[in-house]
Amino acid sequence: MTDDLTGQHLVRGVDHAAWPTFDPAETVHFYRDVLGFPVVHSICAAGWGGEEHPDFIHFFFDIGGDDRIAFFYYFGLPKPDLSEGLGDVYARFPKETPTWFIRSRHVALHVESYEAMMEYRRRLDASEWPVEMQIQHETIESIYTHDPNGYMVEITRAMRPVTPQEDLDANITIDALVDIAKVPGHTMDDLLVRKAELIVERAENWQKQQVR
C-alpha cells in the first residue's frame, strides 16, 4: 500500500545547483584545487539537443551533505563580452546597477565551525580569489569571494541555533510580505504594520496553545 504523501515536505536538500562556465580550467582549479571539492560526476554530451545545440560537458563537484555544485561548458560557444557592465558570465547588468543588487544572487555553502570557515579563508587568501568580505549576520558568519565565472560564493557557519521563536517570527514576516506585496508602492513600513496586525490577530490562539 502506497503511503499518502499529500501535504508532506518531501524534498531533502539540494541535489545540485548548476551554472554555465566559459572557463572550465579555472573553474576546476577554483573548486577542486583551491577549495578541495572533489569532482564526482561528469556527462560528456555530444550531439544532444538538436543540430544547433553545441556539444557540452556537465561536471559536478561534491560540496558535502550529498549535495553538488555543477557547471556546463559548451564547446565553441563564444565567451560574452565582460568588459562592460557588472555581474557574472550568466547575467550582465548596466554598470550603474547597485553592487548590492548584483551580490544578491550567490550560493552559500555551510560549514560546521569557525575553524572550518577560517580554513577555507586560508585557502582562498592563498589563491587568485582571496576573500572579499567576512561578515557576521544575525545568526551566521560568512566569507565571500567570486569564482572564475563571476559567481559569488559564500561559505558560512552558524554562530548559534535558530530558535523556534525566530522560526515563528520568520513565518509571520513572510505572511506579511505576501499580503503587502499585492499593493502597489508597498514599503518596509507597510510590512511592519501588517506584521503587527498579524501578531495581534494570532495572539489569542498562541495563548490558548500555551495553556494546553
Side-chain angles (χ1 to χ4, degrees):
M1 183 177 177
T2 303
D3 293 338
D4 182 6
L5 303 181
T6 304
Q8 295 188 34
H9 183 23
L10 301 173
V11 170
R12 294 292 178 265
V14 176
D15 183 275
H16 69 274
W19 298 284
T21 178
F22 293 89
D23 193 341
E26 287 293 86
T27 298
V28 170
H29 180 45
F30 179 83
Y31 287 99
R32 184 191 63 189
D33 304 333
V34 174
L35 293 178
F37 299 168
V39 174
V40 289
H41 186 53
S42 67
I43 299 170
C44 294
W48 288 23
E51 293 182 359
E52 297 184 357
H53 197 295
D55 295 339
F56 65 94
I57 182 168
H58 190 24
F59 53 102
F60 299 73
F61 300 94
D62 179 359
I63 57 172
D66 295 324
D67 305 326
R68 298 172 293 175
I69 190 170
F71 291 87
F72 288 91
Y73 176 63
Y74 298 97
F75 292 91
L77 188 66
K79 186 176 182 178
D81 180 7
L82 303 179
S83 62
E84 296 289 336
L86 301 171
D88 50 52
V89 296
Y90 184 81
R92 303 294 289 178
F93 299 90
K95 61 182 180 181
E96 58 270 21
T97 306
T99 302
W100 46 261
F101 180 83
I102 303 293
R103 288 176 172 171
S104 63
R105 188 173 68 167
H106 62 274
V107 60
L109 308 175
H110 174 70
V111 295
E112 294 291 341
S113 66
Y114 176 80
E115 290 73 19
M117 185 186 72
M118 295 308 289
E119 168 57 21
Y120 283 110
R121 169 149 203 161
R122 184 191 65 77
R123 296 181 193 182
L124 290 167
D125 284 344
S127 76
E128 302 94 319
W129 304 278
V131 168
E132 301 167 19
M133 299 181 290
Q134 181 167 343
I135 300 175
Q136 290 186 356
H137 309 281
E138 290 180 330
T139 61
I140 62 173
E141 181 173 19
S142 303
I143 57 175
Y144 299 84
T145 193
H146 287 85
D147 82 353
N149 308 289
Y151 302 127
M152 176 166 273
V153 177
E154 172 183 357
I155 296 176
T156 186
R157 59 114 186 173
M159 294 187 291
R160 62 172 176 79
V162 176
T163 66
Q165 291 78 14
E166 288 170 321
D167 282 341
L168 177 62
D169 180 79
N171 279 279
I172 297 171
T173 302
I174 296 307
D175 286 345
L177 175 62
V178 170
D179 288 346
I180 64 105
K182 303 168 185 173
V183 181
H186 49 271
T187 66
M188 177 63 82
D189 284 346
D190 296 330
L191 171 68
L192 296 177
V193 168
R194 181 57 185 149
K195 182 176 177 180
E197 292 172 348
L198 291 176
I199 291 173
V200 171
E201 290 174 9
R202 299 174 184 181
E204 185 175 352
N205 281 337
W206 295 334
Q207 290 177 337
K208 290 179 180 177
Q209 291 171 3
Q210 290 180 342
V211 170
R212 290 173 185 168

